Coordinates of all heavy atoms in Angstrom, one line a residue:
M1 N -16.9 -10.4 5.3 CA -16.3 -9.3 4.6 C -15.2 -9.8 3.6 O -14.5 -10.7 3.9 CB -15.7 -8.4 5.6 CG -15.1 -7.1 5.0 SD -14.7 -5.9 6.3 CE -13.0 -5.7 6.1
A2 N -15.2 -9.3 2.4 CA -14.2 -9.7 1.4 C -12.8 -9.2 1.8 O -12.7 -8.3 2.6 CB -14.6 -9.1 0.1
A3 N -11.9 -9.9 1.3 CA -10.5 -9.5 1.6 C -10.2 -8.1 1.1 O -10.7 -7.7 0.0 CB -9.5 -10.5 0.9
V4 N -9.4 -7.4 1.8 CA -8.9 -6.0 1.4 C -7.8 -6.2 0.4 O -7.0 -7.0 0.6 CB -8.4 -5.3 2.7 CG1 -7.9 -3.9 2.3 CG2 -9.5 -5.2 3.7
K5 N -7.9 -5.3 -0.6 CA -6.8 -5.4 -1.6 C -5.9 -4.2 -1.4 O -6.3 -3.0 -1.4 CB -7.5 -5.3 -3.0 CG -6.5 -5.3 -4.2 CD -7.2 -5.2 -5.5 CE -6.3 -4.9 -6.6 NZ -7.1 -4.6 -7.8
I6 N -4.7 -4.5 -1.1 CA -3.6 -3.4 -0.9 C -2.6 -3.6 -1.9 O -2.1 -4.6 -2.2 CB -3.0 -3.6 0.5 CG1 -4.1 -3.5 1.6 CG2 -1.9 -2.6 0.7 CD1 -3.6 -3.7 3.0
E7 N -2.3 -2.4 -2.5 CA -1.2 -2.4 -3.6 C -0.1 -1.4 -3.1 O -0.5 -0.3 -2.7 CB -1.8 -2.0 -4.9 CG -2.8 -3.0 -5.5 CD -3.5 -2.5 -6.7 OE1 -4.1 -1.3 -6.6 OE2 -3.4 -3.1 -7.7
V8 N 1.1 -1.8 -3.2 CA 2.2 -0.9 -3.0 C 2.8 -0.6 -4.4 O 3.1 -1.5 -5.2 CB 3.3 -1.6 -2.1 CG1 4.5 -0.7 -2.0 CG2 2.8 -2.0 -0.8
L9 N 2.8 0.7 -4.7 CA 3.3 1.1 -6.0 C 4.7 1.7 -5.9 O 4.9 2.6 -5.1 CB 2.3 2.2 -6.6 CG 0.8 1.8 -6.6 CD1 0.0 3.0 -7.3 CD2 0.5 0.5 -7.3
G10 N 5.6 1.1 -6.7 CA 7.0 1.6 -6.6 C 7.9 0.7 -7.4 O 7.5 -0.5 -7.6
T11 N 9.1 1.1 -7.6 CA 10.0 0.4 -8.5 C 10.7 -0.7 -7.7 O 11.5 -1.5 -8.3 CB 11.0 1.3 -9.1 OG1 11.7 2.0 -8.0 CG2 10.3 2.3 -10.0
G12 N 10.5 -0.8 -6.4 CA 11.2 -1.9 -5.7 C 12.3 -1.3 -4.8 O 13.1 -2.1 -4.3
C13 N 12.4 0.0 -4.7 CA 13.4 0.6 -3.9 C 13.2 0.3 -2.4 O 12.2 -0.3 -2.0 CB 13.4 2.1 -4.1 SG 11.9 2.9 -3.5
K14 N 14.2 0.7 -1.6 CA 14.2 0.4 -0.2 C 12.9 1.0 0.5 O 12.3 0.4 1.3 CB 15.4 1.0 0.5 CG 15.6 0.5 1.9 CD 17.0 1.0 2.4 CE 17.3 0.4 3.7 NZ 18.6 0.7 4.2
K15 N 12.5 2.2 0.1 CA 11.3 2.8 0.6 C 10.0 2.0 0.3 O 9.1 1.9 1.1 CB 11.1 4.3 0.2 CG 12.1 5.2 0.8 CD 11.8 6.6 0.4 CE 12.8 7.6 1.1 NZ 12.5 9.0 0.7
C16 N 10.0 1.5 -0.9 CA 8.9 0.7 -1.4 C 8.8 -0.6 -0.6 O 7.7 -1.0 -0.2 CB 9.0 0.4 -2.9 SG 9.0 1.8 -3.9
Q17 N 9.9 -1.2 -0.3 CA 9.9 -2.4 0.4 C 9.5 -2.2 1.9 O 8.8 -3.0 2.5 CB 11.3 -3.0 0.4 CG 11.7 -3.6 -1.0 CD 13.2 -3.9 -1.1 OE1 14.0 -3.8 -0.2 NE2 13.6 -4.4 -2.3
Q18 N 9.9 -1.0 2.4 CA 9.5 -0.7 3.8 C 8.0 -0.4 3.9 O 7.4 -0.9 4.8 CB 10.3 0.6 4.3 CG 9.9 0.9 5.7 CD 10.3 -0.2 6.7 OE1 11.5 -0.6 6.7 NE2 9.4 -0.6 7.5
L19 N 7.5 0.2 2.9 CA 6.0 0.4 2.8 C 5.3 -0.9 2.8 O 4.3 -1.1 3.5 CB 5.6 1.4 1.7 CG 4.1 1.7 1.5 CD1 3.6 2.4 2.8 CD2 3.9 2.6 0.3
E20 N 5.7 -1.8 2.0 CA 5.1 -3.1 1.9 C 5.2 -3.8 3.3 O 4.2 -4.4 3.7 CB 5.8 -4.0 0.8 CG 5.1 -5.3 0.7 CD 5.7 -6.1 -0.5 OE1 6.5 -5.6 -1.3 OE2 5.3 -7.3 -0.6
A21 N 6.3 -3.8 3.9 CA 6.5 -4.4 5.3 C 5.5 -3.7 6.3 O 4.9 -4.4 7.1 CB 7.9 -4.3 5.7
N22 N 5.4 -2.4 6.2 CA 4.5 -1.7 7.1 C 3.0 -2.1 6.9 O 2.3 -2.2 7.8 CB 4.7 -0.1 7.0 CG 6.0 0.3 7.5 OD1 6.8 -0.4 8.1 ND2 6.3 1.6 7.3
A23 N 2.7 -2.2 5.6 CA 1.3 -2.6 5.3 C 1.0 -4.0 5.8 O 0.0 -4.3 6.4 CB 1.1 -2.6 3.8
K24 N 2.0 -4.9 5.7 CA 1.8 -6.3 6.2 C 1.7 -6.3 7.7 O 0.9 -7.0 8.3 CB 2.9 -7.2 5.7 CG 2.8 -7.5 4.2 CD 3.9 -8.4 3.7 CE 3.8 -8.7 2.3 NZ 4.9 -9.5 1.7
E25 N 2.5 -5.4 8.4 CA 2.4 -5.3 9.8 C 1.1 -4.8 10.3 O 0.5 -5.3 11.3 CB 3.5 -4.4 10.3 CG 3.6 -4.3 11.8 CD 4.7 -3.3 12.3 OE1 5.8 -3.3 11.6 OE2 4.6 -2.7 13.3
A26 N 0.5 -3.8 9.6 CA -0.8 -3.2 9.9 C -1.9 -4.3 9.7 O -2.8 -4.4 10.6 CB -1.1 -2.0 9.0
I27 N -1.8 -5.1 8.7 CA -2.8 -6.2 8.5 C -2.7 -7.2 9.6 O -3.7 -7.6 10.2 CB -2.5 -6.9 7.1 CG1 -2.8 -5.9 6.0 CG2 -3.3 -8.2 7.0 CD1 -2.1 -6.4 4.7
A28 N -1.5 -7.6 10.0 CA -1.3 -8.6 11.0 C -1.8 -8.1 12.4 O -2.5 -8.8 13.1 CB 0.2 -8.9 11.1
S29 N -1.6 -6.8 12.7 CA -2.0 -6.3 14.0 C -3.5 -6.1 14.1 O -4.1 -6.2 15.2 CB -1.3 -5.0 14.3 OG -1.7 -4.0 13.4
L30 N -4.2 -5.9 12.9 CA -5.6 -5.8 12.9 C -6.3 -7.2 12.7 O -7.5 -7.3 12.8 CB -6.1 -4.8 11.8 CG -5.8 -3.3 12.1 CD1 -6.2 -2.5 10.9 CD2 -6.5 -2.9 13.3
N31 N -5.5 -8.2 12.3 CA -6.0 -9.5 12.1 C -7.1 -9.5 11.0 O -8.2 -10.1 11.2 CB -6.4 -10.2 13.4 CG -6.6 -11.7 13.2 OD1 -5.9 -12.3 12.3 ND2 -7.4 -12.3 14.0
I32 N -6.8 -8.9 9.9 CA -7.8 -8.9 8.8 C -7.3 -9.6 7.6 O -6.1 -9.9 7.5 CB -8.2 -7.4 8.4 CG1 -6.9 -6.7 7.8 CG2 -8.8 -6.6 9.5 CD1 -7.2 -5.3 7.2
D33 N -8.3 -10.0 6.8 CA -7.9 -10.8 5.5 C -7.6 -9.8 4.5 O -8.5 -8.9 4.1 CB -9.1 -11.6 5.1 CG -8.9 -12.5 3.9 OD1 -7.7 -12.8 3.7 OD2 -9.8 -13.0 3.3
A34 N -6.4 -9.8 4.0 CA -6.0 -8.8 3.0 C -4.9 -9.4 2.0 O -4.2 -10.3 2.4 CB -5.4 -7.6 3.6
E35 N -5.0 -8.9 0.8 CA -4.0 -9.3 -0.2 C -3.1 -8.1 -0.5 O -3.6 -7.0 -0.7 CB -4.8 -9.7 -1.5 CG -3.9 -10.0 -2.7 CD -4.7 -10.2 -3.9 OE1 -5.9 -9.8 -4.0 OE2 -4.2 -10.9 -4.8
V36 N -1.8 -8.4 -0.4 CA -0.8 -7.3 -0.7 C -0.1 -7.6 -2.0 O 0.5 -8.6 -2.2 CB 0.2 -7.2 0.5 CG1 1.2 -6.1 0.2 CG2 -0.5 -6.9 1.8
L37 N -0.2 -6.6 -2.9 CA 0.5 -6.7 -4.2 C 1.5 -5.6 -4.3 O 1.3 -4.5 -3.8 CB -0.5 -6.6 -5.4 CG -1.7 -7.6 -5.4 CD1 -2.7 -7.1 -6.4 CD2 -1.3 -9.0 -5.6
H38 N 2.6 -5.9 -5.0 CA 3.6 -4.9 -5.2 C 3.7 -4.6 -6.7 O 4.0 -5.5 -7.5 CB 5.0 -5.3 -4.7 CG 5.9 -4.2 -4.6 ND1 6.7 -4.0 -3.4 CD2 6.3 -3.2 -5.4 CE1 7.4 -3.0 -3.5 NE2 7.2 -2.4 -4.7
I39 N 3.2 -3.4 -7.1 CA 3.2 -3.0 -8.6 C 4.4 -2.2 -8.9 O 4.7 -1.2 -8.3 CB 1.9 -2.2 -8.9 CG1 0.7 -2.9 -8.3 CG2 1.8 -1.9 -10.3 CD1 0.3 -4.2 -8.9
T40 N 5.2 -2.8 -9.8 CA 6.5 -2.1 -10.1 C 6.6 -1.5 -11.5 O 7.5 -0.8 -11.8 CB 7.7 -3.1 -10.0 OG1 7.5 -4.2 -10.9 CG2 7.8 -3.6 -8.5
E41 N 5.6 -1.8 -12.4 CA 5.6 -1.3 -13.7 C 5.2 0.1 -13.8 O 4.1 0.5 -13.4 CB 4.6 -2.2 -14.6 CG 5.1 -3.6 -14.7 CD 4.0 -4.5 -15.3 OE1 3.5 -4.1 -16.4 OE2 3.6 -5.5 -14.7
P42 N 6.1 1.0 -14.3 CA 5.8 2.5 -14.3 C 4.5 2.8 -15.0 O 3.8 3.7 -14.6 CB 7.0 3.0 -15.1 CG 8.1 2.0 -14.9 CD 7.4 0.7 -14.8
I43 N 4.1 2.1 -16.1 CA 2.8 2.4 -16.8 C 1.6 2.1 -15.9 O 0.7 2.9 -15.8 CB 2.8 1.6 -18.1 CG1 3.8 2.1 -19.1 CG2 1.4 1.7 -18.7 CD1 4.0 1.3 -20.3
K44 N 1.7 1.0 -15.2 CA 0.6 0.7 -14.3 C 0.5 1.7 -13.1 O -0.6 2.0 -12.7 CB 0.7 -0.8 -13.8 CG 0.5 -1.8 -14.9 CD 0.3 -3.2 -14.3 CE 0.0 -4.1 -15.5 NZ -0.4 -5.4 -15.0
I45 N 1.6 2.1 -12.7 CA 1.6 3.1 -11.6 C 1.0 4.4 -12.1 O 0.2 5.0 -11.4 CB 3.1 3.3 -11.1 CG1 3.6 2.0 -10.4 CG2 3.1 4.5 -10.1 CD1 5.1 2.0 -10.1
A46 N 1.4 4.9 -13.3 CA 0.9 6.1 -13.9 C -0.6 6.0 -14.1 O -1.3 7.0 -14.0 CB 1.6 6.4 -15.1
E47 N -1.1 4.8 -14.5 CA -2.5 4.6 -14.8 C -3.4 4.9 -13.5 O -4.5 5.3 -13.7 CB -2.8 3.2 -15.3 CG -2.4 2.9 -16.7 CD -2.5 1.5 -17.1 OE1 -2.7 0.6 -16.2 OE2 -2.3 1.2 -18.3
R48 N -2.8 4.8 -12.4 CA -3.5 5.0 -11.1 C -3.4 6.5 -10.7 O -3.9 6.9 -9.7 CB -3.0 4.1 -10.0 CG -3.4 2.7 -10.2 CD -2.7 1.8 -9.3 NE -3.2 0.4 -9.3 CZ -2.9 -0.5 -10.2 NH1 -2.1 -0.1 -11.2 NH2 -3.4 -1.7 -10.2
G49 N -2.7 7.3 -11.6 CA -2.6 8.7 -11.3 C -1.5 9.1 -10.3 O -1.5 10.2 -9.7
V50 N -0.7 8.1 -10.0 CA 0.4 8.3 -9.0 C 1.6 8.9 -9.7 O 2.1 8.4 -10.6 CB 0.7 7.0 -8.3 CG1 2.0 7.1 -7.4 CG2 -0.5 6.5 -7.5
M51 N 2.1 10.0 -9.1 CA 3.3 10.7 -9.6 C 4.5 10.6 -8.7 O 5.6 10.8 -9.1 CB 3.0 12.2 -9.9 CG 2.0 12.4 -10.9 SD 2.6 11.8 -12.5 CE 1.1 11.7 -13.4
K52 N 4.3 10.2 -7.5 CA 5.3 10.0 -6.5 C 5.2 8.7 -5.9 O 4.2 8.3 -5.4 CB 5.3 11.1 -5.4 CG 5.5 12.5 -5.8 CD 5.4 13.4 -4.7 CE 5.6 14.9 -5.1 NZ 5.5 15.8 -4.0
T53 N 6.4 8.0 -5.9 CA 6.4 6.7 -5.2 C 7.3 6.7 -4.0 O 8.1 7.6 -3.9 CB 6.9 5.5 -6.1 OG1 8.2 5.9 -6.6 CG2 6.0 5.4 -7.3
P54 N 7.1 5.9 -3.0 CA 6.1 4.8 -3.0 C 4.7 5.3 -2.7 O 4.5 6.4 -2.2 CB 6.6 3.9 -1.8 CG 7.3 4.9 -0.9 CD 7.9 5.9 -1.8
A55 N 3.8 4.6 -3.2 CA 2.4 4.9 -3.0 C 1.6 3.7 -2.5 O 2.0 2.6 -2.7 CB 1.7 5.4 -4.3
L56 N 0.6 4.0 -1.7 CA -0.2 2.9 -1.2 C -1.7 3.0 -1.7 O -2.3 4.1 -1.6 CB -0.2 3.0 0.4 CG -0.9 1.9 1.1 CD1 -0.2 0.6 0.9 CD2 -1.0 2.2 2.6
V57 N -2.2 1.9 -2.2 CA -3.6 1.9 -2.7 C -4.3 0.8 -1.9 O -3.9 -0.3 -1.8 CB -3.6 1.6 -4.2 CG1 -5.0 1.5 -4.8 CG2 -2.7 2.6 -5.0
I58 N -5.5 1.3 -1.4 CA -6.3 0.3 -0.6 C -7.7 0.3 -1.3 O -8.3 1.3 -1.5 CB -6.4 0.7 0.8 CG1 -5.1 0.7 1.5 CG2 -7.4 -0.2 1.6 CD1 -5.1 1.2 2.9
N59 N -8.0 -0.9 -1.8 CA -9.3 -1.1 -2.5 C -9.5 -0.1 -3.6 O -10.5 0.6 -3.7 CB -10.5 -1.1 -1.5 CG -10.5 -2.3 -0.7 OD1 -10.0 -3.4 -1.0 ND2 -11.1 -2.2 0.5
D60 N -8.5 0.1 -4.4 CA -8.4 0.9 -5.6 C -8.5 2.4 -5.3 O -8.7 3.2 -6.2 CB -9.6 0.6 -6.6 CG -9.4 -0.9 -7.1 OD1 -8.3 -1.3 -7.4 OD2 -10.5 -1.6 -7.2
V61 N -8.2 2.8 -4.1 CA -8.1 4.3 -3.7 C -6.7 4.5 -3.2 O -6.2 3.9 -2.3 CB -9.2 4.6 -2.5 CG1 -9.0 6.0 -2.1 CG2 -10.6 4.3 -3.0
V62 N -6.1 5.5 -3.9 CA -4.8 5.9 -3.5 C -4.9 6.7 -2.1 O -5.6 7.7 -2.0 CB -4.1 6.9 -4.5 CG1 -2.7 7.3 -4.0 CG2 -4.0 6.2 -5.8
V63 N -4.2 6.1 -1.1 CA -4.3 6.7 0.3 C -3.0 7.4 0.7 O -3.0 8.2 1.6 CB -4.8 5.7 1.3 CG1 -6.2 5.2 1.0 CG2 -3.8 4.6 1.5
S64 N -1.9 7.1 -0.1 CA -0.7 7.8 0.3 C 0.2 7.7 -0.9 O 0.2 6.7 -1.6 CB 0.0 7.0 1.5 OG 1.3 7.3 1.7
Q65 N 1.0 8.8 -1.1 CA 2.0 8.7 -2.1 C 3.2 9.7 -1.8 O 3.0 10.7 -1.1 CB 1.5 9.0 -3.5 CG 0.8 10.4 -3.7 CD 0.3 10.5 -5.1 OE1 1.0 10.3 -6.1 NE2 -0.9 10.9 -5.3
G66 N 4.4 9.2 -2.2 CA 5.6 10.0 -2.0 C 6.2 9.9 -0.6 O 7.0 10.6 -0.2
K67 N 5.6 9.0 0.2 CA 6.2 8.8 1.6 C 5.9 7.3 2.0 O 5.1 6.6 1.4 CB 5.5 9.7 2.6 CG 4.0 9.5 2.8 CD 3.5 10.4 3.8 CE 2.0 10.1 4.0 NZ 1.4 10.9 5.1
V68 N 6.6 6.9 3.1 CA 6.5 5.6 3.7 C 5.5 5.8 4.8 O 5.9 6.3 5.9 CB 7.8 5.0 4.1 CG1 7.6 3.7 4.8 CG2 8.8 4.9 3.0
A69 N 4.3 5.4 4.7 CA 3.3 5.4 5.7 C 3.6 4.4 6.8 O 4.1 3.3 6.5 CB 1.9 5.1 5.2
T70 N 3.5 4.8 8.1 CA 3.7 3.9 9.2 C 2.6 2.9 9.3 O 1.5 3.1 8.7 CB 3.8 4.7 10.5 OG1 2.5 5.2 10.8 CG2 4.8 5.8 10.5
P71 N 2.9 1.8 10.0 CA 1.8 0.8 10.2 C 0.5 1.4 10.8 O -0.6 1.1 10.5 CB 2.4 -0.3 11.1 CG 3.9 -0.2 10.8 CD 4.2 1.2 10.5
E72 N 0.8 2.3 11.8 CA -0.4 3.0 12.4 C -1.2 3.8 11.5 O -2.4 3.9 11.5 CB 0.1 3.9 13.6 CG 0.8 3.0 14.7 CD 2.2 2.6 14.5 OE1 2.9 3.1 13.5 OE2 2.6 1.6 15.2
Q73 N -0.5 4.6 10.6 CA -1.2 5.4 9.6 C -2.0 4.5 8.6 O -3.1 4.8 8.2 CB -0.2 6.2 8.8 CG 0.4 7.3 9.6 CD 1.6 8.0 8.9 OE1 2.3 7.4 8.1 NE2 1.7 9.3 9.1
I74 N -1.4 3.4 8.3 CA -2.1 2.4 7.4 C -3.3 1.8 8.1 O -4.4 1.7 7.4 CB -1.1 1.3 6.9 CG1 0.0 2.0 6.0 CG2 -1.9 0.2 6.1 CD1 1.2 1.0 5.8
Q75 N -3.2 1.5 9.3 CA -4.4 0.9 10.1 C -5.6 1.8 10.0 O -6.7 1.4 10.0 CB -3.9 0.7 11.5 CG -3.0 -0.5 11.7 CD -2.6 -0.7 13.2 OE1 -3.0 0.1 14.1 NE2 -1.7 -1.6 13.4
T76 N -5.4 3.2 10.1 CA -6.5 4.1 10.1 C -7.3 3.9 8.8 O -8.5 4.2 8.8 CB -6.1 5.6 10.2 OG1 -5.3 5.9 9.1 CG2 -5.3 5.8 11.5
H77 N -6.7 3.5 7.7 CA -7.4 3.3 6.4 C -8.1 1.9 6.3 O -8.9 1.7 5.4 CB -6.4 3.5 5.3 CG -5.9 4.9 5.1 ND1 -6.6 6.0 4.7 CD2 -4.6 5.4 5.4 CE1 -5.9 7.1 4.8 NE2 -4.7 6.7 5.1
L78 N -7.6 1.0 7.2 CA -8.1 -0.3 7.2 C -9.3 -0.6 8.1 O -10.0 -1.5 7.9 CB -7.0 -1.3 7.4 CG -5.9 -1.3 6.5 CD1 -4.7 -2.2 7.0 CD2 -6.3 -1.8 5.1
K79 N -9.5 0.3 9.1 CA -10.5 0.0 10.1 C -11.9 0.4 9.5 O -12.0 1.4 8.7 CB -10.3 0.9 11.3 CG -9.1 0.4 12.1 CD -8.8 1.3 13.3 CE -7.6 0.8 14.0 NZ -7.2 1.7 15.2
P80 N -12.9 -0.4 9.7 CA -14.2 -0.2 9.2 C -14.9 1.1 9.7 O -14.5 1.6 10.7 CB -15.0 -1.4 9.6 CG -14.3 -2.2 10.6 CD -12.9 -1.6 10.6

Protein backbone atom coordinates (compact mmCIF):
# COMPACT_ATOMS: atom_id res chain seq x y z
CA MET A 1 0.00 0.00 0.00
CA ALA A 2 1.30 3.44 -0.89
CA ALA A 3 2.03 5.98 1.79
CA VAL A 4 -0.90 8.04 2.98
CA LYS A 5 -0.62 11.76 2.24
CA ILE A 6 -1.78 13.94 5.11
CA GLU A 7 -1.85 17.73 4.91
CA VAL A 8 -2.47 20.10 7.77
CA LEU A 9 -3.75 23.41 6.41
CA GLY A 10 -3.26 26.49 8.54
CA THR A 11 -1.06 29.47 9.19
CA GLY A 12 1.01 27.78 11.88
CA CYS A 13 -1.07 28.82 14.89
CA LYS A 14 -1.23 26.76 18.07
CA LYS A 15 -4.34 24.88 16.88
CA CYS A 16 -2.63 24.01 13.59
CA GLN A 17 0.39 22.69 15.44
CA GLN A 18 -1.85 20.60 17.70
CA LEU A 19 -3.67 19.14 14.69
CA GLU A 20 -0.34 18.17 13.14
CA ALA A 21 0.74 16.52 16.41
CA ASN A 22 -2.58 14.66 16.60
CA ALA A 23 -2.17 13.43 13.02
CA LYS A 24 1.32 12.13 13.78
CA GLU A 25 0.01 10.40 16.92
CA ALA A 26 -2.76 8.74 14.89
CA ILE A 27 -0.24 7.53 12.32
CA ALA A 28 2.07 6.15 14.99
CA SER A 29 -0.70 4.30 16.83
CA LEU A 30 -1.90 2.64 13.60
CA ASN A 31 1.70 1.99 12.49
CA ILE A 32 1.05 3.10 8.91
CA ASP A 33 3.32 4.68 6.32
CA ALA A 34 2.29 8.31 5.95
CA GLU A 35 3.70 11.66 4.94
CA VAL A 36 2.58 14.72 6.91
CA LEU A 37 2.84 18.14 5.28
CA HIS A 38 1.96 21.49 6.81
CA ILE A 39 0.56 23.93 4.23
CA THR A 40 0.69 27.54 5.45
CA GLU A 41 0.23 29.54 2.25
CA PRO A 42 -3.28 31.11 2.19
CA ILE A 43 -3.62 30.74 -1.59
CA LYS A 44 -2.85 27.00 -1.46
CA ILE A 45 -5.30 26.58 1.42
CA ALA A 46 -8.03 28.41 -0.52
CA GLU A 47 -7.33 26.30 -3.64
CA ARG A 48 -8.48 23.27 -1.66
CA GLY A 49 -11.79 24.98 -0.88
CA VAL A 50 -10.98 25.39 2.81
CA MET A 51 -12.44 28.46 4.48
CA LYS A 52 -11.75 27.59 8.13
CA THR A 53 -8.43 26.49 9.55
CA PRO A 54 -7.02 24.34 10.86
CA ALA A 55 -8.04 21.79 8.27
CA LEU A 56 -6.99 18.21 7.67
CA VAL A 57 -6.65 16.70 4.22
CA ILE A 58 -6.07 12.98 3.72
CA ASN A 59 -5.17 11.79 0.22
CA ASP A 60 -6.50 15.04 -1.29
CA VAL A 61 -9.87 14.84 0.54
CA VAL A 62 -10.72 17.48 3.15
CA VAL A 63 -11.88 15.50 6.18
CA SER A 64 -11.96 18.24 8.81
CA GLN A 65 -11.90 22.02 8.94
CA GLY A 66 -12.27 24.68 11.58
CA LYS A 67 -11.43 22.36 14.47
CA VAL A 68 -8.64 20.30 15.96
CA ALA A 69 -9.50 16.67 15.27
CA THR A 70 -8.41 14.23 17.96
CA PRO A 71 -6.03 11.37 17.14
CA GLU A 72 -8.98 8.98 17.48
CA GLN A 73 -11.08 10.99 14.99
CA ILE A 74 -8.16 11.05 12.55
CA GLN A 75 -7.67 7.28 12.90
CA THR A 76 -11.20 6.66 11.62
CA HIS A 77 -10.19 8.30 8.32
CA LEU A 78 -6.97 6.31 8.08
CA LYS A 79 -8.32 2.80 8.61
CA PRO A 80 -8.88 0.82 5.40
